[in-house]
């Protein structure tokens, strides 16, 4: 059956391998949007203050579970925010106790709330070596932060200047290059045969830098890493639809209120949780690869993390254009939902 004939698709329930849920009233507002379709998610630790220790991760997990509406089934997989002061023993304990699934590396200053991130990679080497020993993955925000490096080159430079040396020093460390945005990153992951995978966001499969900058500036399309030129977007789509086990979904759904985004120095982040599965179905259908959607959203991620894919399923049904809320409401203002710029015809059945 060619994709043209497919109007209904049942796949294992997806997981999101990179998600921002925030805290407090924002957590309350956005959590159901993910839990509605996703079984599990890797939860980013860039709160203020960041989630650094096992104890903080356990507390944050409790707050997430408490915010989950009754009847929704969702497992947060916690991460620890790596700082130069992180204690390897605390990381070991968090892993052994099932509190933390991964550790998150932000180069200091790379993005939202990353000031406590890493400047000197030698300082975190004992933590990385402990993680390699226990098989705990490192999730990496792969951008250098040097002000003299062009923002569109920061991912490619990170691969050469940081990732390659780091992988030589700690070759057994499992690494997820998160939210890759370039052909360079796709090639690097494809050429490596050990311990390296990449997540790709929904929005980077759909927008390029023109969406942000041409015809007026569009703050709702601004995120980090910033979307690159069209050739890079095409490389990402090819990687996502290929079925290659090293590529899987990490939405990086990153809610900010409209007032926080629509200002002279607006926040980076795109909120895709409500319509991600509909958007992805369109992307995979346009590529003639609907049958690979399940690998990308529901199989490759768990395999890399050493977990079982979900047994439960969701069904996507193709039909008239789907309507979804343009924003979710929080006490601090609305959070605008990602606009893919085209109609969505695939609906996740309740
Ligand atoms: O666009 C982004 N938003 N990229 C990140 O790396 C962080 C995220 C956020 O926390 O808002
Ligand atoms: Zn993120």
């Amino acid at each position: 059956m060619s994709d043209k004939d497919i109007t209904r698709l049942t796949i294992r329930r997806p997981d999101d391998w990179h998600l921002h849920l925030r805290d407090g009233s924002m957590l309350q507002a956005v959590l159901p949007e993910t839990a509605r379709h996703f079984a599990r998610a890797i939860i980013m630790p860039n709160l203020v203050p960041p989630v650094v220790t096992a104890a903080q991760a356990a507390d944050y997990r409790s707050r997430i579970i408490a915010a989950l509406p009754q009847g929704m089934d969702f497992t947060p997989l916690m991460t620890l925010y790596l700082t130069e002061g992180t204690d390897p023993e605390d990381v070991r304990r968090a892993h052994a106790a099932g509190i933390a699934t991964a550790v998150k590396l932000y180069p200091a200053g790379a993005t939202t709330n990353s000031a406590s991130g890493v400047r000197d990679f030698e300082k975190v080497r004992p933590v990385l070596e402990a993680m390699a020993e226990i098989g705990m993955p490192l999730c990496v925000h792969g951008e250098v932060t040097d002000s003299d490096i062009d923002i569109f080159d920061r991912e490619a430079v990170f691969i050469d200047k940081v990732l390659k040396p780091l992988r030589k020093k700690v070759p057994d460390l499992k690494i997820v290059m998160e939210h890759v945005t370039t052909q360079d990153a796709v090639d690097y992951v494809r050429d490596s045969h050990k311990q390296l995978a990449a997540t790709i966001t929904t929005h980077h499969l759909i927008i390029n830098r023109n969406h942000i900058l041409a015809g007026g500036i569009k703050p709702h399309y601004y995120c980090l890493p910033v979307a690159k030129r069209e050739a890079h977007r095409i490389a990402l789509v090819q990687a996502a639809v290929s079925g290659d086990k090293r590529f899987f979904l990490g939405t990086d759904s990153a809610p900010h209120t409209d007032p926080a985004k629509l200002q002279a120095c607006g926040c980076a982040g795109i909120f895709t949780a409500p319509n991600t599965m509909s958007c992805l179905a369109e992307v995979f259908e346009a590529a003639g690869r609907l049958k690979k959607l399940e690998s990308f959203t529901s199989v490759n991620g768990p395999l890399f993390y050493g977990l079982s894919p979900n047994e439960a399923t969701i069904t996507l049904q193709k039909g008239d254009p789907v309507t979804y809320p343009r924003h979710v409401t929080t006490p601090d203002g609305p959070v605008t939902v990602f606009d893919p710029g085209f109609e969505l015809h695939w609906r996740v059945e309740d």
Side-chain angles (χ1 to χ4, degrees), residues 182-229:
T182 57
Q183 172 93 60
D184 312 65
V186 167
D187 290 346
Y188 182 62
V189 171
R190 272 213 191 101
D191 290 346
S192 77
H193 293 287
K194 225 182 125 211
Q195 311 290 54
L196 184 66
T199 58
I200 304 178
T201 75
T202 307
H203 47 281
H204 287 116
L205 293 171
I206 293 174
I207 63 166
N208 62 35
R209 62 196 197 177
N210 278 11
H211 289 78
I212 313 168
L213 296 170
I217 192 157
K218 316 284 189 333
H220 289 303
Y221 290 140
Y222 174 59
C223 66
L224 288 170
V226 69
K228 309 297 191 298
R229 60 170 70 242

Side-chain angles (χ1 to χ4, degrees), residues 263-282:
Q263 55 173 315
C265 185
C267 293
I270 302 182
F271 179 51
T272 52
N275 58 6
T276 271
M277 290 310 296
S278 299
C279 288
L280 291 175
E282 296 287 341

Side-chain angles (χ1 to χ4, degrees), residues 18-20 22 44 46 104 106 111 141 178-179 201 224-225 251-254:
H18 181 135
L19 176 67
H20 297 268
R22 316 299 190 203
M44 287 298 120
N46 62 334
K104 170 72 188 231
Y106 287 105
T111 188
H141 183 111
E178 300 186 283
H179 43 53
T201 75
L224 288 170
T251 65
D252 199 9
S253 179

